[in-house]
Amino acid sequence: MLTENDRAQLWMQMKAHSDRLFEEIQVLKPDGEVTGPVDDISPDVMREMYRWMVLVRAFDRKCVILQRQGRIGTYAPFEGQEAAQVGSALALAPEDWMFPTYRDHAAAMVHGQPLATVVLYWMGRMEGCVCPPGKHILPPCVPIATHLLHAAGAAWAAKWRGEPMVAIAYFGDGATSEGDFHEALNFAGVFQLPVIFLCQNNGYAISVPFSRQSASRTIAQRAVAYDIPGVRVDGNDVFAVYRAVRQARERAAAGLGPTLIEAVTFRYGAHTTADDPTRYRDQQRLSDEWRTQRDPVTRLRLYLERHDLWDARQEEAWQAEVASRVDAAVQEAMAAGPADPLAMFDHVYADEPWHLAEQRRELATARGGAHA
Amino acid sequence: MLTENDRAQLWMQMKAHSDRLFEEIQVLKPDGEVTGPVDDISPDVMREMYRWMVLVRAFDRKCVILQRQGRIGTYAPFEGQEAAQVGSALALAPEDWMFPTYRDHAAAMVHGQPLATVVLYWMGRMEGCVCPPGKHILPPCVPIATHLLHAAGAAWAAKWRGEPMVAIAYFGDGATSEGDFHEALNFAGVFQLPVIFLCQNNGYAISVPFSRQSASRTIAQRAVAYDIPGVRVDGNDVFAVYRAVRQARERAAAGLGPTLIEAVTFRYGAHTTADDPTRYRDQQRLSDEWRTQRDPVTRLRLYLERHDLWDARQEEAWQAEVASRVDAAVQEAMAAGPADPLAMFDHVYADEPWHLAEQRRELATARGGAHA
Amino acid sequence: MSRELTMLQAIQEALDLKLADDERVVLLGEDIGVNGGVFRATDGLLAKYGEKRVIDTPLAESGIIGTAIGMALNGMVPVAEIQFLAFIFPGLEQLLSHAARMRHRTRGQFGVPMVIRTPYGAGIRGPELHSESVEAFFAHTPGLKVVVPSSPYDAKGLLISAIEDPDPVVFLEPTRIYRAFREEVPGGLYRVPLGQAKVVREGEDLSIFAWGSMLRTALRAAEQIEQERGWRCEVIDLRTLYPLDRETIITSVQKTGRALVVHEAHKTAGLGAEIISLINDEALLYLRAPVKRIAGFDVPVPMFSVEDDYLPTEARIRQGIEETILF
Amino acid sequence: MSRELTMLQAIQEALDLKLADDERVVLLGEDIGVNGGVFRATDGLLAKYGEKRVIDTPLAESGIIGTAIGMALNGMVPVAEIQFLAFIFPGLEQLLSHAARMRHRTRGQFGVPMVIRTPYGAGIRGPELHSESVEAFFAHTPGLKVVVPSSPYDAKGLLISAIEDPDPVVFLEPTRIYRAFREEVPGGLYRVPLGQAKVVREGEDLSIFAWGSMLRTALRAAEQIEQERGWRCEVIDLRTLYPLDRETIITSVQKTGRALVVHEAHKTAGLGAEIISLINDEALLYLRAPVKRIAGFDVPVPMFSVEDDYLPTEARIRQGIEETILF
Ligand SMILES: Cc1ncc(C[n+]2csc(CCOP(=O)(O)OP(=O)(O)O)c2C)c(N)n1
Ligand SMILES: Cc1ncc(C[n+]2csc(CCOP(=O)(O)OP(=O)(O)O)c2C)c(N)n1
Ligand SMILES: [Mg+2]
Ligand SMILES: [Mg+2]
């Protein structure tokens, strides 16, 4: 039996262990150096990482502009979080199920969502919720943390049929306060589901800093509550994220159950284009700091250049390619023609019941009348 | 930076620490011996513990009989869990707020709820939800885990006004799977609320064993997720429970925030009188085992007798007293007269709106007509 | 093969047959496995189909409904049990924000074929929050279907249809008649179509609309009033509450010119109001008297010592019939 | 002192005044502190009253409503903000199973004086699930009161009444008119009583019932139709949706003999049905035509590119008026 003193000491020791265990894993440092060998990541993959990060960043900036021009609606930018999203998505298999939030379209695009579809989503178009046939990319989840359960359920079905596909849920630090976060991790633990819970801890839930979101120092340590593995990585380090997700994926596919990954990162911009971050944080200083000292794109470029995997010519060519792809996507989305209001009656049910048929006619008449 | 190997080792070490940290604390052993000095608990308090445990056990058995006789409705017995409830309730101050479930009327009675009121509750009488004036005992909470938030909120108000009262929420092992459990512990951690979360882990949520409720070995370890203290005690050891709650109360009142306490125990009987435990566990063997090897009442009696704090004469007198108090309570409840159906219209709002006044008249007429 | 079964047995049989018939079907919920459900609706199914098909979950309703959605997305047909209707509340977000909206927002790409079964209603001396009837919430949620059986035969046939339906169905099982009576129930798979009400008793003088446990109360009132007064009431079991079978409702009211709705849910903003509105829309000119609602009162469902007074009674229904016919 | 304020400013002022007036009042919610709320309804209040009175909570709605209940039990008057109405769903259990039932089950011993404020409704090009209107759920829950302002003056007076009310009030704030127009608003504390509708425009030919952002749409339709056809429609702002002000509703319909309800919530089982039912109960014989519902369609509120077609429009209301008057 422990004395009170023993217990106090044990508690301190455990905290110390936990602090080390849940310290931020870093592979690629901000200066482009690596902390250890990285031969498990091929040069091709590294270049792919870089290309994607450049592409999604350009896409993101474009969308912010489109919103200012009134050509799309409120938009949630992810700039600063490219490594977490690109690195994680590249570690997946094509058939894996992805459950993103409103801020995770970088991950979605890497996993196969066409850029134009993403633009349509932010134009308030229902077409923006559809992914290419055969893909398993759910539309952005708006109610916080609810989709962690969907990922658990989809993983369950895969496990049930003995298929090696896994599911990944993306969510933020704020999401960890919702009851559904807890229920999802608990279900995944009990049934050892092949699911990856990827938290991008960008330090803020809109205006609320993580210190006020939870008394716990890290999110990774919450894994202890479910006796599942938890790991904390530098979320601006695409190698670290890629590795952590790859490992979690291997564990999951091997029947070893779920993993909670905390990727520590920062959004450079506003929560959404409707948000003003200067109200709640020293926006200029913080975003400058992260941009200059911890940027995910810069550090990978430094690494690639240093190892002769990328050069100025390639950069130039890729920037041009990116610009044209982004423009093409925007054009495609804008060319979609006016939204069809009557489509709101489609797909409420697999078969249309009488009252919807009637309301469809009612709207058709009203619109006909309006035009007449 | 840790290697993979370091991490694996650290993880094992942390598990080992956590196992020790969250091992069951025992003070009073089943054979009536103590594991260390107990001078912090006065003989008077010990006798009070014993008297209460005997009383509530008699009360509980009586209610099971009343249910069989059809004199009360479905009833949730707590036999086996007396130490957890009596020990915790005796560690409270009279003004503390208590949020019990349907199985915690032992705690409620110790905290001041009249026995007759508890009988009325199980008779399906709304009068059974009311506590004595000035007391802060909420009626049993039926929806699992929801009241943990109420306790957090009541504690918040106390803290806000600088009053030393604390709040305690009682709940079971199954309750730890609900989202509200998580949200309550998180709020309590963030705002350092003076609240005690007392989980009676009786190993089952109706038919579901704890091993299937969660992948985590203990409930106490969930405190790690919120960086709040967690402690696991032998829930059949009234001294251990009393001490843990007293300490948690002192911490809370001193502004040091919440505590999660897991009291490991067992219900001897069915989940409720509508439940048949033989369907899901080796009921006879298990309940015999707990009764003969870990009974909370027996071990305290052994201790008291061994230390000349209790004798056969006192036992006899108390048993007689208990019988008469329980009978008196039952008689009082049964004498309450028929329930007044029109009272269902009272207290929907502080002031009765027109439609309820009308519906009240409607029912009065219907009943008048039925009688005429 | 056709035997006399209770509603519970009929439900158990429907689950059994669909588990055997379609390997995508799984059951999940609290205490549905070794315990066979608190009402025994899943009795014996764990032993027969194993832990992969009949899953005891942790105690978390959002977890149950949320993972069921995920399963349904990925090719399963989950049938979730919520222990009592009020305990669906912690899972309402999953139901309202996701289950009901998934097909619509993904333009038909991802449907969530799933059933949520739950005992509901008062009248069994249950503890607090074991007696609610909030079907109106679901009937106000496009994308959901809402079904309530009132007999063993219908319970089985409707549940089979619900499980086979490509959309999420909330299947409300009136506890009060779970075991109240038996009825001939054929042995194999058969379907009672969703969306169709049933004329249970024909009549010319007044139309009574009811469902679930209230159907029998309404029927008895109709029989008594015929004996006492000679008035013949038509009694219609709505069976599917969303979408409603307007045609059957309107046809009956056009015939009788008078109507009464019985439900045990609170009167205000209950489903009775929608039925009155359908009649207002389509048959106002046929009405010879206001449509009457005999419903649960607008008070929290009280504890069981007075629940019989909360619930619509034959006496109140007869009184309503008299007032309507003598209007 | 009386200034022209938007509804948001009027709400902010009501909160400010009650914080100053009653130290039991606290505000809690997501981003309401330093950020002043996503719509700025609590702008400046943290700076003025400090962290103890204006509390940024973790992101957990059940947590917000549940702790608010606990605070209210222990002597506080919490005013919780839910960021958008659909995000109340994870907290519905707390609202339905506890807030609404506490006074009743404890026989008046423990009340929970609290207000839940939340922006609601469509029309601001919001993302998915930022545009719902499920007021009917709350109006089907005895123990709750439901209030919807349609103007700055009323918003302030109703919110002050709601905060002073001893029972839990769901206070729904139509985002579409948060900043749409200004109105004279007196400076100090004043009350608009709960439970009372307001005749906003008098008329003899038809009664229009509306609330929230639909009120102005209805008013414009009424004005146009008067110009075009000379028909004079009475327009009534219900303001409190539960309990309803039956007297004002019935008095108007008895006068006009025709009625139309406008709401942006889904038509089926929406509050319009209850209003039709009240009219059916009390004024059927006065009706010269079926009561018309112009409501949101029975589809999940669609994404914003077509939300204007989901919402009732002046054109649809005018059409409804014509059909009703020419019936
Ligand atoms: C249930 C629910 N509550 C509130 C909101 C409003 N909301 C949208 S995003 C957000 C903050 C989320 O923070 P976090 O989880 O850290 O993700 P981030 O936005 O930083 O990526 C809030 C409160 C919501 N969408 N759903
Ligand atoms: C939200 C909710 N879901 C389900 C139930 C039904 N139910 C009542 S007690 C119980 C088991 C609770 O187990 P536990 O928390 O371990 O407490 P114990 O009964 O063992 O004391 C269940 C599932 C409920 N009351 N509330
Ligand atoms: Mg964040
Ligand atoms: Mg238990």
Side-chain angles (χ1 to χ4, degrees):
Chain A
M1 192 65 42
L2 299 173
T3 66
E4 266 310 302
N5 238 351
D6 294 344
R7 299 180 58 74
Q9 253 189 318
L10 254 180
W11 188 266
M12 294 311 298
Q13 281 175 23
M14 209 181 78
K15 281 225 164 170
H17 274 89
S18 142
D19 280 356
R20 289 203 66 201
L21 195 56
F22 298 122
E23 80 187 8
E24 234 173 275
I25 298 176
Q26 202 179 54
V27 178
L28 178 60
K29 294 191 290 179
D31 60 7
E33 299 290 342
V34 287
T35 59
V38 289
D39 356 302
D40 58 319
I41 309 175
S42 76
D44 277 352
V45 168
M46 290 178 179
R47 273 186 299 258
E48 204 184 349
M49 287 169 169
Y50 181 72
R51 283 197 216 94
W52 270 116
M53 290 204 283
V54 171
L55 172 59
V56 299
R57 179 168 286 189
F59 177 89
D60 190 63
R61 290 183 180 171
K62 181 71 180 185
C63 287
V64 173
I65 294 169
L66 292 176
Q67 191 281 333
R68 286 213 196 98
Q69 296 169 336
R71 296 166 73 198
I72 66 173
T74 302
Y75 174 76
F78 54 72
E79 191 176 344
Q81 304 184 198
E82 293 88 349
Q85 297 193 31
V86 171
S88 55
L90 282 177
L92 301 177
E95 68 277 14
D96 289 345
W97 284 75
M98 179 179 281
F99 294 83
T101 75
Y102 49 86
R103 201 185 302 291
D104 303 311
H105 26 300
M109 291 185 287
V110 174
H111 201 50
Q113 189 72 326
L115 278 60
T117 306
V118 177
V119 178
L120 282 166
Y121 182 80
W122 296 102
M123 289 168 71
R125 295 291 293 259
M126 293 187 274
E127 298 88 335
C129 285
V130 181
C131 70
K135 296 301 297 181
H136 302 133
I137 304 170
L138 271 286
C141 183
V142 173
I144 302 293
T146 51
H147 57 308
L148 277 69
L149 285 163
H150 308 165
W156 208 340
K159 174 175 176 155
W160 197 89
R161 288 193 300 264
E163 291 166 358
M165 53 167 82
V166 311
I168 185 168
Y170 288 80
F171 54 99
D173 43 313
T176 64
S177 295
E178 289 278 8
D180 276 3
F181 165 82
H182 172 69
E183 298 190 13
L185 269 72
N186 190 44
F187 268 68
V190 171
F191 298 104
Q192 291 292 296
L193 305 176
V195 54
I196 302 167
F197 297 110
L198 183 83
C199 179
Q200 288 167 77
N201 181 352
N202 64 7
Y204 289 84
I206 308 187
S207 70
V208 179
F210 183 64
S211 60
R212 183 147 189 130
Q213 196 63 244
S214 167
S216 80
R217 212 179 55 76
T218 72
I219 288 166
Q221 79 192 62
R222 297 211 159 173
V224 172
Y226 314 97
D227 272 340
I228 64 171
V231 43
R232 189 173 210 241
V233 297
D234 178 346
N236 283 12
D237 169 352
V238 69
F239 293 168
V241 172
Y242 178 78
R243 262 198 200 153
V245 174
R246 190 179 55 187
Q247 197 185 344
R249 199 196 174 282
E250 280 161 9
R251 280 181 47 85
L256 297 173
T259 303
L260 171 63
I261 299 172
E262 172 183 8
V264 179
T265 182
F266 189 78
R267 67 166 149 78
Y268 292 163
H271 169 72
T272 67
T273 50
D275 172 57
D276 172 8
T278 65
R279 290 181 69 97
Y280 54 79
R281 66 186 188 190
D282 189 345
Q283 169 63 10
Q284 196 61 51
R285 186 180 58 76
L286 284 171
S287 67
D288 280 358
E289 241 170 63
W290 281 81
R291 254 183 219 282
T292 55
Q293 291 165 33
R294 301 193 60 180
D295 188 67
V297 185
T298 308
R299 70 172 90 170
L300 180 55
R301 176 146 176 220
L302 287 173
Y303 177 89
L304 293 178
E305 288 179 347
R306 194 161 303 151
H307 294 82
D308 291 328
L309 298 169
W310 194 257
D311 61 26
R313 209 184 32 80
Q314 280 168 299
E315 178 73 16
E316 201 179 319
W318 183 246
Q319 291 287 0
E321 168 80 18
V322 156
S324 88
R325 284 210 211 169
V326 171
D327 281 347
V330 173
Q331 262 170 28
E332 183 186 337
M334 300 288 164
D340 175 15
L342 294 177
M344 77 171 84
F345 297 102
D346 299 342
H347 307 298
V348 181
Y349 301 95
D351 298 309
E352 185 159 282
W354 63 266
H355 68 293
L356 289 177
E358 213 167 271
Q359 292 180 13
R360 180 193 291 274
R361 283 193 297 276
E362 189 183 331
L363 180 59
T365 313
R367 288 183 54 82
H371 288 216
Chain B
M1 192 63 42
L2 300 173
T3 67
E4 265 311 301
N5 237 354
D6 294 344
R7 299 179 57 75
Q9 252 191 321
L10 253 181
W11 187 266
M12 294 312 296
Q13 280 175 21
M14 210 182 77
K15 280 224 167 170
H17 275 88
S18 143
D19 281 356
R20 290 201 66 200
L21 196 56
F22 299 122
E23 82 186 6
E24 231 173 278
I25 298 176
Q26 201 178 55
V27 179
L28 178 59
K29 294 191 290 182
D31 61 6
E33 299 290 343
V34 287
T35 58
V38 289
D39 357 302
D40 58 319
I41 309 175
S42 76
D44 278 351
V45 168
M46 290 179 178
R47 273 187 299 259
E48 205 185 346
M49 286 170 170
Y50 181 72
R51 282 198 215 95
W52 268 117
M53 289 205 283
V54 171
L55 172 61
V56 298
R57 178 169 286 189
F59 177 89
D60 191 63
R61 291 184 179 170
K62 181 71 181 186
C63 287
V64 173
I65 293 169
L66 292 176
Q67 191 281 333
R68 286 213 195 98
Q69 296 169 335
R71 297 166 75 198
I72 66 174
T74 303
Y75 174 76
F78 54 73
E79 191 174 343
Q81 304 183 201
E82 293 89 349
Q85 296 194 32
V86 171
S88 56
L90 283 176
L92 302 177
E95 69 276 13
D96 288 346
W97 284 76
M98 179 180 281
F99 294 84
T101 75
Y102 50 85
R103 202 185 301 291
D104 303 309
H105 24 302
M109 291 186 287
V110 173
H111 201 50
Q113 189 71 325
L115 279 61
T117 305
V118 176
V119 179
L120 281 166
Y121 183 80
W122 295 101
M123 290 168 69
R125 297 290 294 258
M126 291 188 274
E127 298 88 335
C129 285
V130 180
C131 71
K135 297 299 299 181
H136 303 132
I137 305 171
L138 272 285
C141 183
V142 172
I144 301 294
T146 51
H147 56 310
L148 275 69
L149 285 163
H150 307 165
W156 208 341
K159 175 175 176 157
W160 196 88
R161 288 193 301 262
E163 291 167 356
M165 52 167 85
V166 312
I168 184 167
Y170 288 79
F171 54 99
D173 43 312
T176 64
S177 294
E178 289 278 7
D180 276 4
F181 165 83
H182 172 69
E183 298 190 14
L185 268 73
N186 190 44
F187 268 67
V190 171
F191 298 104
Q192 291 292 297
L193 305 177
V195 55
I196 302 167
F197 297 110
L198 184 82
C199 179
Q200 289 167 76
N201 181 352
N202 63 9
Y204 288 85
I206 309 186
S207 70
V208 179
F210 183 64
S211 60
R212 182 144 189 133
Q213 195 63 245
S214 169
S216 80
R217 215 181 52 76
T218 71
I219 288 166
Q221 81 194 62
R222 298 210 159 174
V224 172
Y226 314 96
D227 272 339
I228 64 171
V231 41
R232 190 173 209 240
V233 298
D234 178 347
N236 282 12
D237 169 352
V238 68
F239 293 167
V241 173
Y242 178 77
R243 261 197 199 152
V245 175
R246 190 178 54 190
Q247 197 185 343
R249 198 196 175 282
E250 279 161 10
R251 281 180 47 86
L256 297 173
T259 304
L260 171 63
I261 299 172
E262 173 184 8
V264 179
T265 181
F266 189 78
R267 67 167 147 79
Y268 291 164
H271 170 72
T272 67
T273 50
D275 172 57
D276 172 8
T278 65
R279 289 182 70 97
Y280 53 80
R281 66 186 186 189
D282 190 345
Q283 168 64 9
Q284 196 60 52
R285 186 180 59 75
L286 284 171
S287 67
D288 280 358
E289 242 171 61
W290 281 80
R291 255 183 220 283
T292 54
Q293 291 164 35
R294 300 193 62 178
D295 188 67
V297 185
T298 308
R299 71 172 89 172
L300 180 55
R301 178 148 173 217
L302 286 174
Y303 176 90
L304 292 178
E305 287 178 349
R306 194 163 301 151
H307 294 81
D308 290 330
L309 298 169
W310 195 256
D311 62 25
R313 209 182 35 77
Q314 280 168 300
E315 178 72 16
E316 202 179 316
W318 183 245
Q319 290 287 0
E321 169 80 18
V322 156
S324 87
R325 283 209 211 170
V326 171
D327 281 347
V330 173
Q331 263 171 27
E332 185 187 333
M334 299 289 163
D340 175 14
L342 295 178
M344 78 172 80
F345 297 103
D346 298 342
H347 307 298
V348 181
Y349 300 96
D351 297 309
E352 187 159 284
W354 63 267
H355 68 294
L356 290 177
E358 213 167 89
Q359 292 180 12
R360 181 193 289 275
R361 282 193 298 276
E362 188 182 331
L363 180 59
T365 312
R367 288 183 55 82
H371 288 214
Chain C
M1 188 201 54
S2 175
R3 301 78 6 97
E4 300 256 306
L5 300 185
T6 63
M7 182 182 287
L8 260 173
Q9 291 168 324
I11 286 168
Q12 194 271 1
E13 196 165 275
L15 296 172
D16 190 350
L17 288 168
K18 285 307 297 178
L19 281 164
D21 173 59
D22 184 349
E23 65 162 20
R24 298 170 311 151
V25 173
V26 293
L27 314 187
L28 71 165
E30 296 157 13
D31 305 291
I32 67 161
V34 56
N35 199 37
V38 289
F39 284 102
R40 311 284 176 254
T42 53
D43 200 17
L45 298 178
L46 172 67
K48 195 160 168 188
Y49 297 97
E51 284 214 336
K52 275 179 73 181
R53 308 287 303 282
V54 181
I55 304 166
D56 268 327
T57 65
L59 208 178
E61 290 76 12
S62 189
I64 292 170
I65 301 177
T67 53
I69 290 169
M71 288 177 164
L73 287 170
N74 195 2
M76 318 283 288
V77 178
V79 181
E81 175 176 303
I82 297 295
Q83 211 157 69
F84 286 89
L85 176 54
F87 307 142
I88 211 173
F89 296 162
L92 277 180
E93 180 179 37
Q94 288 291 348
L95 203 55
L96 305 176
S97 296
H98 290 295
R101 298 174 75 259
M102 194 63 81
R103 177 185 298 283
H104 190 254
R105 68 194 292 249
T106 65
R107 310 281 70 206
Q109 186 174 33
F110 293 110
V112 281
M114 61 189 275
V115 176
I116 296 175
R117 297 177 39 244
T118 174
Y120 99 120
I124 55 160
R125 290 168 61 86
E128 291 180 278
L129 288 167
H130 286 63
S131 307
E132 327 309 296
S133 32
V134 294
E135 61 267 29
F137 292 176
F138 311 117
H140 190 50
T141 305
L144 299 182
K145 296 184 178 180
V146 186
V147 175
V148 185
S150 75
S151 73
Y153 178 91
D154 277 1
K156 181 175 167 184
L158 287 167
L159 182 51
I160 289 168
S161 296
I163 296 173
E164 292 175 353
D165 196 276
D167 287 305
V169 179
V170 177
F171 194 87
L172 302 172
E173 304 171 358
T175 51
R176 201 187 184 185
I177 54 172
Y178 254 163
R179 298 190 179 94
F181 63 101
R182 291 168 183 273
E183 188 180 65
E184 288 257 312
V185 175
L189 280 170
Y190 64 91
R191 284 101 195 148
V192 172
L194 307 190
Q196 293 186 13
K198 181 176 167 191
V199 179
V200 177
R201 182 182 201 272
E202 303 217 9
E204 298 75 39
D205 297 312
L206 179 142
S207 308
I208 303 182
F209 302 102
W211 53 91
S213 84
M214 284 296 115
L215 185 82
R216 281 160 48 94
T217 314
L219 265 178
R220 279 194 298 265
E223 280 154 19
Q224 283 177 17
I225 210 106
E226 178 163 6
Q227 281 173 14
E228 289 169 19
R229 300 279 217 154
W231 297 330
R232 288 174 40 81
C233 294
E234 182 143 305
V235 178
I236 291 177
D237 181 358
L238 292 179
R239 298 199 296 196
T240 295
L241 303 186
Y242 194 53
L244 282 165
D245 178 357
R246 181 176 62 176
E247 199 181 313
T248 303
I249 295 170
I250 299 305
T251 305
S252 178
V253 176
Q254 287 176 340
K255 176 172 73 173
T256 62
R258 299 184 189 92
L260 181 145
V261 190
V262 188
H263 61 64
E264 57 172 289
H266 313 300
K267 180 178 181 183
T268 298
L271 208 67
E274 181 59 34
I275 295 161
I276 292 179
S277 300
L278 288 182
I279 296 170
N280 160 85
D281 290 350
E282 303 288 324
L284 185 71
L285 298 185
Y286 293 82
L287 280 187
R288 294 190 257 173
V291 182
K292 187 66 110 193
R293 286 182 284 182
I294 307 294
F297 295 113
D298 287 315
V299 305
V301 182
M303 290 178 69
F304 70 76
S305 60
V306 296
E307 69 176 340
D308 291 342
D309 288 280
Y310 168 81
L311 287 171
T313 55
E314 282 167 51
R316 277 170 62 205
I317 298 171
R318 271 158 52 205
Q319 169 83 8
I321 297 173
E322 292 189 6
E323 283 173 20
T324 306
I325 294 195
L326 302 177
F327 179 77
Chain D
M1 188 201 54
S2 177
R3 299 80 6 95
E4 300 255 307
L5 301 185
T6 63
M7 182 182 288
L8 259 173
Q9 290 169 324
I11 286 167
Q12 193 270 4
E13 194 165 276
L15 296 171
D16 190 351
L17 288 168
K18 285 306 298 179
L19 281 165
D21 173 59
D22 183 348
E23 66 162 18
R24 298 169 313 152
V25 173
V26 292
L27 314 188
L28 72 166
E30 295 157 12
D31 305 291
I32 67 161
V34 56
N35 200 36
V38 289
F39 284 102
R40 311 283 176 254
T42 53
D43 199 18
L45 298 178
L46 172 68
K48 194 157 167 190
Y49 297 97
E51 284 215 335
K52 276 179 71 179
R53 308 288 303 283
V54 181
I55 306 166
D56 268 328
T57 65
L59 209 177
E61 290 76 12
S62 189
I64 292 170
I65 301 178
T67 53
I69 290 170
M71 287 177 162
L73 287 169
N74 194 3
M76 318 283 288
V77 178
V79 180
E81 176 175 304
I82 297 295
Q83 211 157 70
F84 285 89
L85 177 55
F87 307 143
I88 210 172
F89 296 161
L92 276 181
E93 181 179 36
Q94 288 291 348
L95 203 55
L96 305 176
S97 296
H98 290 296
R101 298 174 75 257
M102 194 63 83
R103 177 185 298 284
H104 189 252
R105 70 194 290 247
T106 65
R107 310 283 69 209
Q109 186 174 32
F110 292 111
V112 281
M114 60 190 274
V115 176
I116 296 175
R117 296 178 39 244
T118 175
Y120 99 120
I124 55 160
R125 291 167 61 87
E128 290 181 281
L129 287 168
H130 286 63
S131 307
E132 327 308 298
S133 32
V134 293
E135 60 266 27
F137 292 175
F138 310 116
H140 190 50
T141 305
L144 299 182
K145 297 184 177 178
V146 186
V147 175
V148 184
S150 75
S151 72
Y153 179 90
D154 276 2
K156 180 174 168 186
L158 286 166
L159 183 52
I160 289 168
S161 295
I163 296 173
E164 292 175 352
D165 196 276
D167 288 304
V169 178
V170 177
F171 194 87
L172 303 172
E173 303 171 359
T175 51
R176 200 186 185 189
I177 52 172
Y178 254 164
R179 299 192 180 94
F181 62 102
R182 292 169 182 272
E183 186 180 69
E184 287 258 309
V185 174
L189 281 169
Y190 64 91
R191 283 101 197 150
V192 172
L194 307 190
Q196 293 185 14
K198 182 176 165 191
V199 180
V200 177
R201 182 181 202 272
E202 303 217 11
E204 299 75 38
D205 297 313
L206 179 144
S207 307
I208 302 182
F209 302 102
W211 52 91
S213 84
M214 283 297 115
L215 185 82
R216 279 159 49 96
T217 313
L219 265 177
R220 277 194 299 264
E223 281 154 19
Q224 284 177 16
I225 210 103
E226 180 164 3
Q227 281 172 15
E228 290 170 17
R229 301 282 218 150
W231 297 329
R232 288 175 38 82
C233 294
E234 181 142 305
V235 179
I236 292 177
D237 181 359
L238 291 179
R239 300 200 293 198
T240 295
L241 303 186
Y242 194 53
L244 282 165
D245 179 356
R246 180 176 61 177
E247 200 181 312
T248 302
I249 296 170
I250 297 306
T251 305
S252 177
V253 176
Q254 287 176 340
K255 177 172 73 175
T256 62
R258 299 184 189 91
L260 181 147
V261 190
V262 188
H263 60 63
E264 56 172 290
H266 312 300
K267 180 178 182 184
T268 298
L271 208 67
E274 181 59 33
I275 295 161
I276 292 179
S277 300
L278 288 182
I279 295 169
N280 160 84
D281 291 350
E282 303 287 326
L284 185 71
L285 299 186
Y286 293 83
L287 279 188
R288 293 191 257 175
V291 182
K292 188 65 111 193
R293 287 182 283 181
I294 306 295
F297 294 114
D298 287 316
V299 305
V301 181
M303 289 180 70
F304 70 75
S305 60
V306 295
E307 70 176 341
D308 291 343
D309 288 280
Y310 167 81
L311 287 172
T313 55
E314 283 167 49
R316 278 172 62 207
I317 297 171
R318 272 159 51 205
Q319 170 83 6
I321 296 172
E322 291 188 6
E323 283 173 21
T324 306
I325 294 193
L326 302 177
F327 179 76

